[in-house]
Amino acid sequence: MLKKQVQPLEKKVWLSSPTMHGDELRYMQEAYETNWMSTVGANINEVERLISEKIGCNYAVALSAGTSALHLAMKLAGIKQGDIVFCSDMTFSATVNPVVYEGGVPVFIDTEYDTWNMDPVALEKAFQLYPGTKFVVVAHLYGTPGKIDELKAVANKYGAIVIEDAAESLGATYKGVQTGHFGTIGCISFNGNKIITGSSGGMLLTDDEEAANKVRKWSTQSRENAPWYQHEEIGYNYRMSNVIAGVVRGQIPYLEEHIAQKKAIYERYEEGFKGLPVTMNPFDSVNSVPNFWLSCLIINPEAMCQQVRGECEPLFVPEDGKSCPTEILNAVAAINAEGRPIWKPMHMQPIYRMNGFVTREGNGRAKTNAYISGGAVGKDGRPLDVGMDIFHRGLCLPSDNKMTAEEQNRIIEVIRACFE
Ligand SMILES: *Cc1c(COP(=O)(O)O)cnc(C)c1O
């Protein structure tokens, strides 16, 4: 099936795997030797201090996962049963599921082509379609900051709270400010595939002391100050372990190094794809500095061979001079490297099929269905459902920061062959 044989890589190159440096083990051992094998200890205090300093926020609360941080963010924001919540559409499901944990109803806002994040024009449309909405959940996909000023201007105009999901973008900046510090509440993740990792873990970021105290209390089972277990509120077991915090503590000094490596990978791909009918995942080079967590490409429409994706399986028809994400992912896998399709937009997910979806021209549901059966375009001549279009033509490339230039060249070679 492959258009050209390329020598497989001796060692598998992953999409994005943990990169340890040694200090992690030392801090974990310290937790062990001092017997702080618990959700209390020096590592937790230190990672909270280091991250709040890095982000520039007053408080960083260490939690068991980015998803727990997002859950407590939704609760803190005051999302109640039946509340509409505007959410990024092209993102990982963990951005959105916590809205539902609190009884909120996600309405998905379409993506723009400039940064692959929430479209401020569509967000404005959404406030007209769903007046009175008070919550916006924004993610920065693949480490690229979205159109923060525009999004915040729209949210402020309607008095809505912004919850920022910076799980993928730790270390990325917009106008010199760290992502995670733009929303009323920010969330980050230390999952195993993120730019730095604790194997798991996450944090909630805020400037508000009262909010930070509430989150700390909720995350440790909401215990009241009494001699016995006294509870006035529902609690959660969401606090970060001091052992995990040891791993995070060892990783933090290497954040900038990881970003530099990821940036070099992005630039090597960009250079290696010269002359191909593809572009890399775009960013606003004037106002933002991504962390380059994942390198992605998108194929020009005219260079796409036929590709159909069912619920769980893809099909494509190979064609000379053209390719598609399925063919490229197969070719990359055949040489022992891991790519991945673009995160499938939430409005296309069976679980969220009945939820609202707003494009830059308004209610997107009816028009989206038209796109499946023929290709609805907007007044500007571009596809109306931007998320679906990027999902159709784009893919995530192997972006592991331990990948050598030689390994990456082999990956570039096999991708170039797809267009022969
Ligand atoms: C990884 C991720 C999360 C969830 O973080 P966990 O630590 O895995 O729970 C949330 N949102 C986005 C965009 C992510 O990529």
Side-chain angles (χ1 to χ4, degrees):
M1 276 303 265
L2 290 184
K3 283 174 174 159
K4 183 181 164 191
Q5 283 318 120
V6 174
Q7 184 67 24
L9 300 161
E10 293 71 36
K11 223 171 97 212
K12 177 153 181 170
V13 172
W14 298 94
L15 183 73
S16 180
S17 73
T19 302
M20 294 293 121
H21 300 276
D23 296 341
E24 298 87 354
L25 205 52
R26 186 160 63 82
Y27 291 125
M28 285 166 76
Q29 183 136 12
E30 220 169 87
Y32 180 94
E33 280 162 4
T34 57
N35 205 34
W36 289 104
M37 300 297 281
S38 168
T39 51
V40 182
N43 288 332
I44 297 178
N45 300 341
E46 191 56 13
V47 294
E48 289 189 339
R49 189 185 69 78
L50 289 168
I51 291 291
S52 60
E53 199 175 275
K54 173 76 187 176
I55 302 290
C57 59
N58 291 343
Y59 302 94
V61 183
L63 299 167
S64 56
T67 309
S68 352
L70 282 154
H71 183 189
L72 296 185
M74 305 308 166
K75 193 175 157 83
L76 194 58
I79 293 172
K80 298 273 178 331
Q81 195 69 35
D83 285 345
I84 297 283
V85 180
F86 296 146
C87 297
S88 285
D89 178 55
M90 207 168 77
T91 184
F92 186 56
S93 62
T95 307
V96 178
N97 289 336
V99 169
V100 182
Y101 300 166
E102 286 302 299
V105 179
V107 165
F108 301 109
I109 310 300
D110 200 13
T111 308
E112 36 83 2
Y113 283 108
D114 300 334
T115 77
W116 293 8
N117 286 301
M118 184 187 283
D119 183 352
V121 177
L123 181 63
E124 171 73 47
K125 280 276 186 309
F127 278 106
Q128 292 159 19
L129 283 167
Y130 300 88
T133 299
K134 289 286 167 246
F135 313 98
V136 184
V137 183
V138 179
H140 305 288
L141 195 74
Y142 303 138
T144 301
K147 296 188 172 180
I148 291 171
D149 281 352
E150 290 90 332
L151 291 169
K152 277 188 78 170
V154 176
N156 287 344
K157 179 173 154 192
Y158 294 97
I161 287 179
V162 175
I163 296 148
E164 202 185 352
D165 179 356
E168 300 181 1
S169 65
L170 180 59
T173 59
Y174 180 86
K175 296 188 173 172
V177 176
Q178 293 280 322
T179 58
H181 200 199
F182 291 98
T184 309
I185 312 165
C187 297
I188 56 173
S189 164
F190 300 113
N191 186 310
N193 65 0
K194 300 300 197 282
I195 191 117
I196 57 169
T197 181
S199 73
S200 64
M203 278 187 181
L204 183 142
L205 313 170
T206 174
D207 283 334
D208 178 354
E209 183 175 13
E210 198 187 330
N213 289 339
K214 264 192 208 167
V215 169
R216 269 200 197 95
K217 180 181 165 192
W218 291 339
S219 73
T220 50
Q221 308 286 20
S222 293
R223 298 198 299 246
E224 297 300 327
N225 189 10
W228 44 81
Y229 286 143
Q230 176 83 3
H231 303 287
E232 292 174 9
E233 291 177 284
I234 288 291
Y236 302 85
N237 183 4
Y238 278 176
R239 193 74 165 133
M240 184 184 278
S241 145
N242 191 47
V243 180
I244 297 294
V247 185
V248 177
R249 187 176 176 185
Q251 288 265 290
I252 292 171
Y254 295 93
L255 173 59
E256 293 305 323
E257 183 181 306
H258 288 191
I259 293 173
Q261 290 163 337
K262 296 274 191 182
K263 183 175 184 211
I265 288 167
Y266 181 97
E267 287 172 347
R268 252 187 259 130
Y269 275 129
E270 198 171 39
E271 184 64 30
F273 293 150
K274 285 236 168 93
L276 290 186
V278 305
T279 47
M280 298 291 292
N281 44 332
F283 61 93
D284 172 358
S285 59
V286 177
N287 293 313
S288 77
V289 184
N291 71 2
F292 300 95
W293 176 55
L294 292 190
S295 286
C296 304
L297 67 71
I298 183 163
I299 301 170
N300 296 350
E302 71 281 3
M304 279 286 292
C305 65
Q306 268 191 63
Q307 173 191 247
V308 180
R309 281 169 167 159
E311 279 308 304
C312 294
E313 266 186 321
L315 283 172
F316 74 100
V317 183
E319 194 177 335
D320 284 350
K322 296 186 176 186
S323 192
C324 64
T326 305
E327 184 180 41
I328 293 174
L329 290 167
N330 287 351
V332 165
I335 65 160
N336 203 20
E338 185 190 30
R340 195 164 289 176
I342 296 296
W343 297 181
K344 183 174 175 174
M346 289 301 118
H347 80 276
M348 296 172 72
Q349 300 287 355
I351 182 84
Y352 290 122
R353 198 160 273 166
M354 302 307 286
N355 292 58
F357 171 56
V358 183
T359 69
R360 66 189 182 280
E361 289 185 12
N363 192 334
R365 277 296 177 195
K367 293 164 192 162
T368 299
N369 294 337
Y371 179 70
I372 294 170
S373 58
V377 292
K379 294 189 194 90
D380 53 9
R382 302 176 103 184
L384 195 54
D385 184 335
V386 176
M388 185 186 278
D389 181 42
I390 296 174
F391 175 62
H392 187 61
R393 296 191 286 122
L395 66 115
C396 305
L397 297 157
S399 304
D400 197 69
N401 51 347
K402 293 173 295 306
M403 170 170 64
T404 65
E406 294 72 45
E407 288 168 332
Q408 193 176 348
N409 287 339
R410 205 94 63 82
I411 292 163
I412 291 168
E413 188 190 347
V414 85
I415 293 173
R416 293 197 72 92
C418 288
F419 289 93
E420 282 174 6

